[in-house]
Amino acid sequence: MPKSWYNILPDLPKPLPPPIDPSTRTPVDPRKLERIFPKELIKQELSPERWIPIPEEVRDVLRLWRPTPLYRAVLLEKALKTPARIYYKYEGVSPPGSHKPNTAVAQAYYNMKEGVERLTTETGAGQWGSALSFATNMFGMKCTVYMVRASYNQKPARKMLMHSWGAEVYPSPSDRTNFGRAMLSKDPNHPGSLGIAISEALEDCVTHDNTRYSLGSVLNHVLMHQTVQGLEALEQLKQVGDYPDVVAGCVGGGSSFSGLFWPFYYEVVSKKAPKKVKFVATEPTACPTMTKGIYTYDFGDTAKMTPLLPMYTLGSDFIPPPIHAGGLRYHGDAPTLCLLLHEGWIEPHAYDQVSVFQAAVQFARAEGFLPGPEPAHTIRYVIDEALRCKQTGEEKVILFNLCGHGAFDLHAYEEFFEGKLPPWYYPEDEIKKSIDRLKEELKWLPEVEKQFLGL
Amino acid sequence: MPKSWYNILPDLPKPLPPPIDPSTRTPVDPRKLERIFPKELIKQELSPERWIPIPEEVRDVLRLWRPTPLYRAVLLEKALKTPARIYYKYEGVSPPGSHKPNTAVAQAYYNMKEGVERLTTETGAGQWGSALSFATNMFGMKCTVYMVRASYNQKPARKMLMHSWGAEVYPSPSDRTNFGRAMLSKDPNHPGSLGIAISEALEDCVTHDNTRYSLGSVLNHVLMHQTVQGLEALEQLKQVGDYPDVVAGCVGGGSSFSGLFWPFYYEVVSKKAPKKVKFVATEPTACPTMTKGIYTYDFGDTAKMTPLLPMYTLGSDFIPPPIHAGGLRYHGDAPTLCLLLHEGWIEPHAYDQVSVFQAAVQFARAEGFLPGPEPAHTIRYVIDEALRCKQTGEEKVILFNLCGHGAFDLHAYEEFFEGKLPPWYYPEDEIKKSIDRLKEELKWLPEVEKQFLGL
C-alpha cells in the first residue's frame, strides 16, 4: 500500500487555469474557501509537491480493504479468444462498494484534525454519500447527506447503508434549508436534483459551526487521493512483469479514472515507462462531456453557486437523461482531466446504455463479478479493443478499473434482460441549447477563455 | 490456496450413523442416489480419505476471489477495549457475496464432467440459488432455481442476480411440476416454503434427462468443499504467528461453520494444535436446533421426501419465525456437526434477533463491513466473549467467519433502526408440538435411535 499520493499538478503540460469568481472575473482567493473546506485540503488543492505523504491514521482505515486486488481477466480473454492481456483493478471490495472511500477517508481525517465535528454533502444514487458516511463514522464524526429525493424514494438501499454507518440522510429538497424550503414551496413533491442537493449541503455548512462541506470528485485533492489505485496497480503489474499499453477508465467527474492513470502518466512524462501508454476515458452518449462538450469556463453545479471552473462542459443547465450510471451524469469534468484532454493526452469514447449493459453481462458471465453501470462503460471499450487485437494479432496489455460493484443496480440489469432499457444516444439538441444558454448568460466568456485558457 | 479439501469422516470420534430409508428402516443404498447426484459426489459423501484433491478447473474458478482475506479486527478490539485478538475470515468478497460458491463451483464441475447439462435446486432468500447460478454459468451449464414465492416477490435482488448469470428462476410453488401445480390448485397465491421448493427441484430433476439436483448444505461433501476457508485461515494465522483459542461460526445447516472449524479440529485430534481450541456454534433463538433440538433421526426436508438423517432437530414440521437470517431457518443440522455436538466437541449459543442486529451495527461501525444477518449471530458471541476477556484480562485469540455481506439485507437493518425488529425468543410450544408430531408419526424412532445412534 502506497505511503504517498501522487499529485499531478507539477507535471501537467501547462499550468492549471485557476477557478474564476464570476462576479469579478478574476481568480478566486483560496482563503475564501476556508469556510467550506479545511486548510490542509485547500493546501493540497494548490500544492506544487509531487508526492504528498498519506497520514498513518488514513492508511490504517484504507488497510481495511487495500491494497485492492488486481485481476488478470483470464476467463474474459478466453471467452473473447483475444491475444490481448486484460487486467482490472477491483475497487468493489471496499465497504461501500466503490473507489469513493479512498478520498472520503482522507477528507474526513483532515477535517477531524482541524476540529470539524460534522460534514455535509450531497448524493445522487448514494455512492458518494455512503462513502462519506463510512469515512466520518470511522473518525467519530457526524455526517449529513442531502440525497436527491427521487433516488431517496426509488433506490432506498444506499440510504439504508448510510444509516447503518450512523449518518443523517434527508431527501432533497428538504425543509432544513432556506433553499430547500423555497423549492418545496413551489412543489411539495419536488423530485430534486444534484444541483439542489449541493446548494442545501453548502447552506447547511455555512450556517452551522464546526461544520464543513465535502466533495467526491472534480477537485485536484480529491483526484489525488484516488491515486492509491494506480500506484498499487503499477506495483502489482511489476510483480507479474507486465506493463500496460492502454490504461482505461470511466469519467463522471473524473476521480476513478484519474486515480488509476495519473501514476502511469507520471511514468510517461518522467521517461520511466518502458513503452508508449494510451489513456482512454469512457463516458455515456447520454452525457458526453468529453466527446461533445466545449472547453471553456462553467459553474461546477446546476445552482451556479460555485466558482467557474476551466472544463469541458455541456452547460451547467444540461440535465442528462436518466441513465442507470448515476455517477456519470455530470455536465462537466475535473479541470486537470480537461486540460489533459485538450492537450491530446486522453482518447475519449462514448457508449450508449444498451451496448454498455451488453458488455456488463458478458463480463459478469465470464469473470463472475457483476460490474456497476459506470465501469461497464469501460468494459465496453475493453471488449471492443480486445476483439480488435484478435483481428490484428496484437498482444496489447489493457488495464482498467472496475471502480464499483453492481449489487445495488440489479433493477437496471433486470430492465436490460426485459428489453426495456433505452439506449439514450447523443441528445444533440439539448446539448446545443444548454451551451447556447451558457454563452448567452456569460457573454464575457471569450475574455476569460483568452486570458486563462489561451484559446 | 489449498490443493486438497479436508474430509472429517476418518477423524470423527465415532463412525457417522447412516441415512435411513423410512420405508425399510434400514440404511439407504448409495446407488439409489445416482439419479439425483453425480457419482463423484456420492463417492465423496462416503469417502474414508482424509484429503481429497481439488481439481485444477475448480481452483481456477475459486481463484477469482480466493484466498479470501483474513482480517485482524483491530478497530473492533479498540472499540471494545479488549485484550482479546479477534480475527475474521471474510467470505463476502465472492461474486455472489457469501461462502456458498465454494461448494457450488465444485458441484457444478463434477456434474459437468459426468455429462450433466442442467442443475436444479431450491432457494429461500437466494444465497444458495445465486451461488449455484454463478457456478453453473462458469462451466457453461444451465441452472433452474425454484425460489420460495414470498422471497421471489419481496426480495427481488438475488433473483435478478441469478438472472445476470443466466439462470432460470421460478417462484415456487410453480406450474412446472405436479407437486407445484397441486399446491397452486389449493391456493393460487401460495407463499411457498423451502420444503415445497425442494420437492419441485427434485421432481424437475428426476423427470428430465441430463439433469441433476444440487444441495447447498448438510451433506458431507458440501461441508468438505467449504474447508478451503479453514485451511486458508490456518495458513494465514501461521503467517502472522498466531493460533486461535476459539473458532466460531453460525449454523443453519452447518456448512460455513464446518468449513472453518474442521481443519482446526484435525489439528486438535492429530495433536498438531499448540493449544486447546474451543469450537463455538451460534444460532437464532427463533430456530434453536442445537440448544433446544433433540438428537434423533428426521427427514431433511419439510415435504419428507429425503431419507432420515441422524441429527439434532426441531421436527421437520417446524416452521421457524420469519427472522431475517434466512440461511439459519432450518429445522435440523448436518449429521457430522450433530455427531460432534452430541460428543461434546461443540459449544452452542443461541441469540435473539435484536441482540444480533445490535452486534451487527456495532461491528459495521467499528470495522466498516456490513455483515449479513447470519454471521451477525457469531459477532454477537464474539463481542460478548471479547468483553468477558476485558473483565478477566485474558488475551484470547478468537477466529470467526464473516460468511457473507449484508448488502441485500439493508431492509432488515432499517427495521432495526426503526425499532420494528421483533427479537423472536425461543418458540418453546411450537418446538414441543413439532417434536411430538415427529415421534407420533415415526413411532419406531427409538428402535433406529438405539441401533444406529447408540442411544
Side-chain angles (χ1 to χ4, degrees):
Chain A
M1 218 172 80
K3 297 197 165 172
S4 296
W5 292 297
Y6 167 64
N7 176 22
I8 204 171
L9 289 188
D11 296 317
L12 287 173
K14 287 182 176 180
L16 190 66
I20 297 291
D21 181 336
S23 63
T24 62
R25 303 178 201 177
T26 58
V28 173
D29 179 350
R31 282 170 302 181
K32 277 197 176 173
L33 300 172
E34 289 181 10
R35 188 60 195 84
I36 309 287
F37 298 113
K39 286 176 192 163
E40 177 60 28
L41 292 178
I42 297 169
K43 196 175 136 198
Q44 289 183 4
E45 185 68 17
L46 303 165
S47 175
E49 297 297 323
R50 183 172 288 129
W51 300 101
I52 295 186
I54 309 176
E56 269 312 303
E57 294 91 330
V58 171
R59 296 180 80 235
D60 280 347
V61 177
L62 296 183
R63 234 187 287 275
L64 284 173
W65 71 97
R66 303 210 74 86
T68 58
L70 179 81
Y71 286 105
R72 168 98 183 260
V74 179
L75 300 169
L76 181 64
E77 292 170 17
K78 269 190 204 166
L80 298 172
K81 298 190 177 70
T82 178
R85 296 197 293 284
I86 303 171
Y87 293 90
Y88 58 99
K89 184 77 173 154
Y90 186 39
E91 294 289 309
V93 295
S94 79
S98 80
H99 68 292
K100 290 285 185 192
N102 295 330
T103 183
V105 170
Q107 292 191 44
Y109 170 77
Y110 290 117
N111 274 286
M112 180 272 289
K113 288 293 278 186
E114 295 184 24
V116 176
E117 291 167 5
R118 185 171 67 102
L119 288 179
T120 69
T121 198
E122 72 288 339
T123 201
Q127 287 272 25
W128 170 243
S130 56
L132 194 67
S133 303
F134 160 76
T136 47
N137 166 74
M138 299 312 281
F139 291 111
M141 301 170 74
K142 290 181 188 163
C143 185
T144 304
V145 181
Y146 292 88
M147 184 173 188
V148 175
R149 186 180 293 269
S151 297
Y152 184 93
N153 291 331
Q154 288 161 26
K155 299 186 172 182
R158 283 210 187 86
K159 167 190 71 181
M160 298 174 187
L161 190 58
M162 293 184 250
H163 285 165
S164 71
W165 286 312
E168 287 183 323
V169 188
Y170 298 102
S172 167
S174 77
D175 61 3
R176 294 173 51 84
T177 65
N178 288 330
F179 191 74
R181 283 187 290 268
M183 292 290 125
L184 287 176
S185 73
K186 286 185 206 164
D187 175 2
N189 298 310
H190 199 301
S193 74
L194 208 53
I196 295 169
I198 293 175
S199 310
E200 289 204 82
L202 282 169
E203 184 182 326
D204 182 343
C205 165
V206 297
T207 54
H208 290 89
D209 289 339
N210 299 322
T211 300
R212 292 290 180 276
Y213 168 77
S214 181
L215 198 65
S217 190
V218 176
L219 300 179
N220 305 338
H221 69 271
V222 178
L223 276 52
M224 182 189 76
H225 297 156
Q226 292 292 351
T227 57
V228 288
Q229 297 177 64
L231 293 166
E232 285 176 9
L234 189 59
E235 186 57 36
Q236 289 165 318
L237 281 171
K238 275 185 186 165
Q239 278 174 21
V240 295
D242 224 337
Y243 206 91
D245 296 286
V246 182
V247 178
C250 63
V251 170
S255 80
S256 79
F257 176 52
S258 299
L260 185 68
F261 93 86
W262 280 11
F264 291 91
Y265 170 88
Y266 174 62
E267 291 257 308
V268 172
V269 297
S270 62
K271 315 235 184 273
K272 287 177 186 164
K275 49 171 139 167
K276 228 178 124 183
V277 186
K278 185 160 84 170
F279 303 115
V280 171
T282 64
E283 66 181 7
T285 46
C287 190
T289 50
M290 297 178 292
T291 53
K292 300 280 176 178
I294 57 163
Y295 191 44
T296 182
Y297 268 97
D298 194 3
F299 296 98
D301 65 322
T302 315
K304 305 181 185 188
M305 292 174 73
T306 72
L308 293 170
L309 301 175
M311 60 184 181
Y312 280 84
T313 180
L314 302 170
S316 41
D317 284 334
F318 178 72
I319 306 289
I323 52 168
H324 285 283
L328 306 187
R329 294 178 72 241
Y330 182 59
H331 69 272
D333 292 312
T336 48
L337 185 81
C338 293
L339 176 69
L340 290 167
L341 177 63
H342 194 251
E343 296 292 316
W345 278 90
I346 289 164
E347 183 180 301
H349 291 270
Y351 299 101
D352 72 86
Q353 184 165 247
V354 170
S355 68
V356 163
F357 273 83
Q358 281 165 345
V361 170
Q362 193 171 1
F363 182 86
R365 293 194 178 170
E367 288 290 312
F369 294 106
L370 196 75
E374 292 86 358
H377 286 73
T378 310
I379 294 172
R380 175 75 275 161
Y381 166 80
V382 170
I383 290 176
D384 291 351
E385 181 70 11
L387 291 174
R388 277 190 290 272
C389 289
K390 188 176 166 182
Q391 296 301 320
T392 61
E394 283 174 288
E395 295 183 13
K396 273 194 191 170
V397 180
I398 305 170
L399 168 68
F400 74 98
N401 54 353
L402 186 50
C403 60
H405 64 58
F408 296 125
D409 302 286
L410 286 160
H411 278 92
Y413 279 89
E414 199 72 356
E415 274 182 41
F416 170 70
F417 288 124
E418 290 169 356
K420 291 180 186 163
L421 207 62
W424 296 114
Y425 300 112
Y426 285 125
E428 311 263 7
D429 289 352
E430 286 75 8
I431 293 170
K432 187 174 179 307
K433 273 183 220 161
S434 170
I435 290 176
D436 286 350
R437 271 197 301 274
L438 174 69
K439 287 178 176 170
E440 180 65 24
E441 189 178 353
L442 305 179
K443 286 212 164 53
W444 41 269
L445 264 184
E447 261 174 58
V448 291
E449 280 178 354
K450 191 174 170 192
Q451 187 179 353
F452 297 104
L453 302 184
L455 297 179
Chain B
M1 217 173 81
K3 297 197 166 171
S4 297
W5 292 298
Y6 167 64
N7 176 20
I8 203 171
L9 289 189
D11 296 319
L12 286 173
K14 285 181 175 180
L16 190 66
I20 298 291
D21 181 337
S23 64
T24 63
R25 303 179 201 176
T26 59
V28 173
D29 179 350
R31 283 169 302 180
K32 278 199 177 170
L33 300 173
E34 291 181 9
R35 188 60 194 83
I36 310 287
F37 298 114
K39 286 175 191 163
E40 176 61 29
L41 292 178
I42 297 170
K43 197 175 135 197
Q44 290 182 3
E45 185 68 16
L46 304 164
S47 174
E49 298 296 323
R50 183 171 289 129
W51 299 101
I52 295 185
I54 309 176
E56 269 311 304
E57 294 90 331
V58 171
R59 296 181 80 234
D60 280 346
V61 177
L62 296 183
R63 234 187 287 274
L64 284 173
W65 72 96
R66 303 211 73 86
T68 58
L70 179 80
Y71 287 105
R72 168 98 182 261
V74 180
L75 300 169
L76 180 64
E77 292 170 17
K78 268 190 206 166
L80 298 172
K81 298 192 176 71
T82 177
R85 296 197 293 283
I86 303 170
Y87 294 90
Y88 58 99
K89 183 78 173 153
Y90 186 39
E91 294 289 308
V93 294
S94 79
S98 80
H99 67 292
K100 291 286 184 192
N102 295 329
T103 182
V105 170
Q107 292 190 45
Y109 169 76
Y110 290 118
N111 275 285
M112 179 272 288
K113 288 293 278 185
E114 295 184 25
V116 176
E117 291 167 4
R118 185 171 68 101
L119 288 179
T120 69
T121 199
E122 72 288 339
T123 201
Q127 286 271 25
W128 169 244
S130 56
L132 195 67
S133 302
F134 160 75
T136 47
N137 165 74
M138 298 312 281
F139 292 111
M141 301 170 75
K142 290 180 187 163
C143 187
T144 305
V145 181
Y146 293 88
M147 184 172 187
V148 175
R149 185 180 294 270
S151 297
Y152 184 94
N153 291 332
Q154 287 161 26
K155 299 187 172 182
R158 283 211 186 85
K159 168 190 72 181
M160 298 174 188
L161 190 57
M162 294 184 249
H163 285 164
S164 70
W165 287 311
E168 287 183 322
V169 188
Y170 298 102
S172 168
S174 77
D175 60 3
R176 295 173 50 84
T177 66
N178 288 330
F179 191 75
R181 284 186 291 269
M183 292 290 125
L184 287 176
S185 72
K186 286 185 204 164
D187 176 3
N189 297 313
H190 199 300
S193 75
L194 209 51
I196 296 169
I198 292 175
S199 310
E200 289 203 84
L202 282 169
E203 184 182 326
D204 182 343
C205 165
V206 297
T207 54
H208 290 88
D209 289 340
N210 298 324
T211 300
R212 291 289 179 277
Y213 167 77
S214 181
L215 199 64
S217 189
V218 176
L219 299 179
N220 306 337
H221 69 271
V222 178
L223 275 53
M224 183 188 76
H225 296 156
Q226 292 293 353
T227 57
V228 288
Q229 295 177 65
L231 293 166
E232 284 176 11
L234 190 58
E235 185 57 36
Q236 288 165 318
L237 281 171
K238 274 183 188 166
Q239 280 174 20
V240 295
D242 224 336
Y243 205 91
D245 296 287
V246 183
V247 178
C250 63
V251 170
S255 80
S256 79
F257 175 51
S258 299
L260 185 68
F261 93 85
W262 280 13
F264 291 92
Y265 170 87
Y266 174 62
E267 292 256 308
V268 171
V269 296
S270 62
K271 316 232 184 276
K272 288 177 187 166
K275 49 171 139 167
K276 228 179 127 185
V277 186
K278 186 161 83 170
F279 303 115
V280 171
T282 64
E283 64 182 9
T285 47
C287 190
T289 50
M290 296 179 293
T291 53
K292 300 281 176 177
I294 56 162
Y295 191 44
T296 183
Y297 269 98
D298 195 1
F299 296 98
D301 65 321
T302 316
K304 305 181 185 186
M305 294 175 71
T306 72
L308 293 170
L309 301 174
M311 59 184 183
Y312 281 84
T313 181
L314 304 169
S316 40
D317 284 334
F318 177 72
I319 307 288
I323 52 169
H324 285 283
L328 305 187
R329 292 179 72 242
Y330 183 59
H331 68 272
D333 293 312
T336 48
L337 186 80
C338 293
L339 176 68
L340 290 167
L341 177 63
H342 194 251
E343 295 291 317
W345 277 90
I346 289 164
E347 183 180 303
H349 291 269
Y351 299 101
D352 72 87
Q353 185 165 247
V354 170
S355 67
V356 163
F357 273 84
Q358 281 165 344
V361 170
Q362 194 171 1
F363 182 86
R365 293 192 178 170
E367 289 289 312
F369 293 107
L370 195 74
E374 293 86 357
H377 287 74
T378 310
I379 294 172
R380 176 74 275 161
Y381 167 79
V382 171
I383 290 177
D384 291 352
E385 182 70 12
L387 291 174
R388 277 189 290 272
C389 289
K390 187 176 167 180
Q391 296 301 319
T392 62
E394 283 174 287
E395 295 182 13
K396 273 195 191 169
V397 180
I398 305 169
L399 167 69
F400 74 99
N401 54 353
L402 186 51
C403 60
H405 64 59
F408 295 126
D409 302 286
L410 286 161
H411 278 93
Y413 279 89
E414 199 73 354
E415 275 182 40
F416 170 72
F417 289 124
E418 289 168 356
K420 291 179 186 164
L421 206 63
W424 297 116
Y425 299 112
Y426 285 125
E428 311 263 6
D429 290 351
E430 286 75 7
I431 294 170
K432 186 172 179 309
K433 274 183 217 160
S434 170
I435 289 175
D436 287 348
R437 271 197 301 274
L438 174 69
K439 288 179 175 170
E440 181 64 26
E441 188 179 352
L442 305 179
K443 287 214 163 50
W444 40 269
L445 265 184
E447 262 174 60
V448 293
E449 280 179 353
K450 191 175 168 191
Q451 188 180 353
F452 298 105
L453 301 184
L455 298 179

